[in-house]
DNA sequence: GATATTAATGCAATCGATTGCAAGATATTT
DNA sequence: AAATATCTTGCAATCGATTGCATTAATATC
C-alpha cells in the first residue's frame, strides 16, 4: 500500500504470493498464466477493490486510450453553443468511446491552446482527435493534416484528400428542402443562411439543384446572409422582405433556429404560414414540433454521426484505411409547409 | 529520441549539456537553477518543440490535473440531452478548467461505469469530479460522500452536510414565477412538473410560498406531474384541463420545454394566452423569445454556475473549506404573461 | 589564503505497471 | 530413466519525468 492507502499491483502480487509480472498478466487474463492463478489473483484484486493505475499503464504501454474532442465555438458568442445537435452528438460520442474503452477529453476552442498536435499528441494526452464544427475554413484544422495525429472532422469535405470528414449530406438536405417547398407550390424561395460556412454552402448548392430541376430561375438576391440565430432570422427577414421584394412564397432557413426567428416575424406581420409563405428549416430541434405552426425541417442523423466519427477515428488509429462519408438526411413535414 | 521520434526530456538535457534534473527544473522555471541555464534549456526545448510527457509527469507527481464531469442523462432517453442549458454549462466548465490548467474528462451515465470512485479516482484518471443533474435522489452520488474523492454536484442541496452542491435558487425561482403570475391577476395557477425531481420540488415549494404570500389557497390538484418534455407538457395539459377543471387562469411550467408544449395545446384550443391563461416557464432557452406568444420565464445564471462549480471543486481539492451555494435567478417577462 | 556560506548542478531513487527473456516446473516421448 | 517439449512463473529493464540529498562551484568572511 502506498501513502494514499491505495492498493498497488505489487500489494496484490504479494497477497497472492506471485510476482508482479504474474499478477499483471493474471489480471488481464493472459492465457499464459494458469487458470487457477488467474482466478486467485483476480479474486484478491476484486476483494480489495484494486484498480490498475492507468497513468502507470499509459506510460509503459505508450497508449493513452483517450480521445480528445474539440468543439469549435468561438464564433460570435453563444450561438452554436445552444445548438441542441451539439449536445446530442457529444453524448453519442461519449457513449460510443466508453463502449470501446476510451476516455473522452473535451475542450472548446474558446480558451484552449490552438496547437492541438502538441497539446494532445506530443504531450501524450490523447491518441486521437475529433473536431466538431469546422465552420468556416480553419487553419488549425488544415495544419493538423501534416502531423501524425489521427483525427476526424464533423463537417463538410473540403479538400479531397487532406483529411477525413464525416457529416450530413448537406447538399441533399438543401435539395430535399427546396424540392419539398416546390412541391407545395412555391415559386420564389428565399434562402436564409451564411454560405461562407462550409455546410451552408452545400445546402445552398442543394437549393440550386432543386430549382434547376424544376426549371425555376435562381435569383441570387434571394440568398440572404444570416447568422445561426433566431435573432438574425427575424431581423434579416424583416429588412429584406420589406425592401426588396414582396413576391416570396417560400423560405428555406439553414437552421431551425433561424426559421423560428423568421416565423415570428411573419406571425407579427400577419402573414399566413404556410398559405402565403411556406417555411422549412434544418436540424429538427426539439422545439420545432411544438411551435405554432409546427416547423417542417430536414433531420440529421446525429446519433449515426457520432457513432461513425468514433468508428472511423479508431480505425485510423489502428492504421486501417478510412474515407470521408456522408450521412443521409430526411424531410420532416409539419404545418409550416403543408398547404 | 525514442522510437516515435518524439523528443524526451533526456534528449533536451543532452543537447543543453545538463542533467535531466536540471533540465526538468529549468523547464519549470525553478529559481534554484541559474537564469542563464533556464534560458538555454527553454530555448532548446522551444526550438525542438519539446512537450513534457504528461503521463510520466502524472505518474511521478501523483496529480492528474484532470477533472471528470459526469452528465447524468439516462432518463427516458433524449429529454435532458436536448436541454440547451447543459451545453452551456459544459462549455463554461470546460473553459474554466482550461484556465486553471486542468483537462476535462466527459462522460454520460448512459454506458459508463457506475463506480466513479474506482474508475476516476482509484485509477488515477482524475483528481476530482463534477456531477451535473443529480435529478432524482441518486445512490451513486450518495455513496461518493464516503470516499476521498473530491466532488461537487450541480443541483439542490439535499442532506445538509453530506456533499457540496451548487445550483440555482429554485425555490426563489418558483416563488418569483408565481408571484409574477399573481401580479398579472392569476388566481388559480397550475404547476406543471415532477416534484420527485429535487430541483422541481424546490420550485414547488416556491410556488406555495407565493400563493401563501397572496393568501391564495394551495390546491394540490393543480400540481400536475409532468416530465421534462414538450410532449408531456402538451398531453398532460390536455388531459387535465379538460377533465378536472376549467377555472385555471395561469400556468407555471418548470421548464420552458414543458411550457412550450402547453402553449401549443392552448393555441390549438384557441385559448387566449395570456388573457385567458398566462404562462411562465423556467430556463430561458433560446427559443423562448421566438415563439408566439414569446414565453416568459425564469432565467438561470448558467455561466456563473459553471465557474462556481470549478472554483469550489478546486478549492476542495486544495483542502480548503467550501460550502454549498445558491445562484440567483430572475424573471424574464415576455408576452405569454403580459396582460 | 583558508574557511564558511551560498548558489548551481548532478546522482540515483521513485512513481506503478508491463514485457522480453530466462529459468524452473511439469508433462510427454522414446 | 533420460531427454525433449510444454507450461508457468519470475527477474529485471523499461516507459519519462520529478525530487531528496549530495556534491561541486562560486562568493563571502575573517
Amino acid at each position: 500500500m502506498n501513502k494514499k492507502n491505495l492498493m498497488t499491483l505489487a500489494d496484490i502480487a504479494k497477497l497472492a504470493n506471485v510476482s508482479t509480472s504474474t499478477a499483471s498478466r493474471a489480471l488481464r487474463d493472459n492465457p499464459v498464466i494458469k487458470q487457477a492463478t488467474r482466478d486467485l489473483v483476480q479474486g484478491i484484486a476484486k476483494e480489495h477493490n484494486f484498480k490498475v493505475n492507468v497513468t502507470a499503464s499509459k506510460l509503459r504501454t505508450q497508449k493513452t486510450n483517450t480521445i480528445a474532442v474539440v468543439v469549435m465555438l468561438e464564433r460570435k458568442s453563444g450561438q452554436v453553443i445552444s445548438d441542441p445537435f451539439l449536445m446530442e452528438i457529444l453524448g453519442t460520442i461519449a457513449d460510443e468511446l466508453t463502449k470501446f474503452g476510451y476516455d473522452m477529453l473535451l475542450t472548446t476552442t474558446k480558451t484552449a491552446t490552438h496547437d492541438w498536435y502538441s497539446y494532445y499528441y506530443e504531450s501524450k494526452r490523447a491518441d486521437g482527435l475529433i473536431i466538431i464544427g469546422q465552420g468556416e475554413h480553419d487553419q488549425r484544422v488544415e495544419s493538423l493534416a501534416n502531423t501524425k495525429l489521427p483525427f476526424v472532422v464533423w463537417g463538410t469535405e473540403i479538400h479531397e484528400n487532406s483529411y477525413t470528414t464525416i457529416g450530413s449530406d448537406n447538399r441533399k438536405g438543401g435539395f430535399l428542402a427546396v424540392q419539398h417547398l416546390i412541391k407545395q407550390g412555391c415559386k420564389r424561395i428565399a434562402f436564409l443562411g451564411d454560405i461562407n460556412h462550409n455546410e451552408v454552402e452545400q445546402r445552398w448548392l442543394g437549393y440550386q439543384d432543386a430549382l434547376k430541376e424544376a426549371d425555376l430561375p435562381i435569383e441570387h438576391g434571394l440568398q440572404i446572409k444570416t447568422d445561426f440565430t433566431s435573432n438574425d432570422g427575424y431581423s434579416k427577414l424583416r429588412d429584406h422582405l420589406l425592401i426588396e421584394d414582396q413576391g416570396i412564397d417560400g423560405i428555406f432557413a439553414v437552421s431551425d433556429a433561424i426559421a423560428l426567428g423568421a416565423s415570428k416575424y411573419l406571425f407579427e406581420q400577419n402573414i399566413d404560414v404556410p398559405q402565403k409563405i411556406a417555411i422549412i428549416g434544418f436540424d429538427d430541434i426539439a422545439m420545432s414540433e411544438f411551435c405554432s405552426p409546427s416547423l417542417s425541417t430536414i433531420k440529421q442523423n446525429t446519433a449515426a454521426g457520432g457513432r461513425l466519427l468514433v468508428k472511423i477515428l479508431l480505425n485510423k488509429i489502428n492504421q486501417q484505411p478510412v474515407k470521408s462519408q456522408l450521412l443521409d438526411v430526411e424531410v420532416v413535414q409539419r404545418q409550416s409547409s403543408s398547404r
Side-chain angles (χ1 to χ4, degrees), chain A residues 97-305:
Chain A
L97 285 175
T98 304
K99 209 179 290 172
F100 288 103
Y102 278 81
D103 288 324
M104 163 174 168
L105 225 43
L106 181 70
T107 343
T108 75
T109 42
K110 211 164 148 206
T111 50
T113 168
H114 284 179
D115 186 353
W116 301 325
Y117 174 66
S118 279
Y119 190 77
Y120 291 110
Y121 197 71
E122 295 198 308
S123 306
K124 290 272 186 291
R125 276 173 233 263
D127 297 330
L129 194 64
I130 295 178
I131 298 169
I132 312 259
Q134 107 224 68
E136 305 173 23
H137 302 274
D138 194 290
Q139 189 46 47
R140 288 165 299 188
V141 180
E142 298 287 336
S143 66
L144 278 184
N146 303 317
T147 69
K148 280 167 294 196
L149 205 189
F151 74 102
V152 292
V153 176
W154 171 267
T156 306
E157 188 165 19
I158 311 181
H159 307 307
E160 280 284 333
N161 290 317
S162 110
Y163 52 83
T164 312
T165 315
I166 308 295
S168 289
D169 190 338
N170 288 294
R171 185 163 187 165
K172 181 175 174 189
F175 174 78
L176 290 177
V178 175
Q179 187 191 49
H180 169 73
L181 290 179
I182 294 172
K183 275 189 202 149
Q184 299 293 314
C186 299
K187 301 254 184 276
R188 295 197 73 208
I189 300 170
F191 178 96
L192 266 53
D194 179 358
I195 62 171
N196 287 321
H197 188 289
N198 298 140
E199 301 182 61
V200 175
E201 186 184 6
Q202 293 298 312
R203 295 174 197 175
W204 168 241
L205 292 175
Y207 167 99
Q208 299 178 331
D209 294 344
L211 290 185
K212 277 183 208 142
E213 190 196 54
D215 277 326
L216 288 170
I218 294 165
E219 303 175 57
H220 284 262
L222 294 183
Q223 177 231 303
I224 302 169
K225 179 172 175 171
T226 314
D227 286 343
F228 274 105
T229 62
S230 299
N231 227 322
D232 216 38
Y234 178 91
S235 52
K236 288 293 165 59
L237 191 61
R238 178 189 58 206
D239 300 344
H240 290 266
L241 251 197
L242 290 179
I243 299 170
E244 289 195 22
D245 174 33
Q246 297 295 348
I248 290 174
D249 56 6
I251 295 177
F252 169 36
V254 299
S255 87
D256 284 356
I258 295 176
L260 291 176
S263 292
K264 178 159 184 88
Y265 175 72
L266 297 176
F267 179 83
E268 287 180 3
Q269 299 298 311
N270 271 312
I271 297 174
D272 187 9
V273 174
Q275 293 311 329
K276 183 140 173 57
I277 297 191
I279 301 192
I280 188 166
F282 208 109
D283 282 348
D284 195 24
I285 66 178
M287 288 310 110
S288 300
E289 192 180 344
F290 287 93
C291 45
S292 298
S294 58
L295 181 66
S296 298
T297 190
I298 301 294
K299 180 184 182 125
Q300 312 195 55
N301 195 341
T302 330

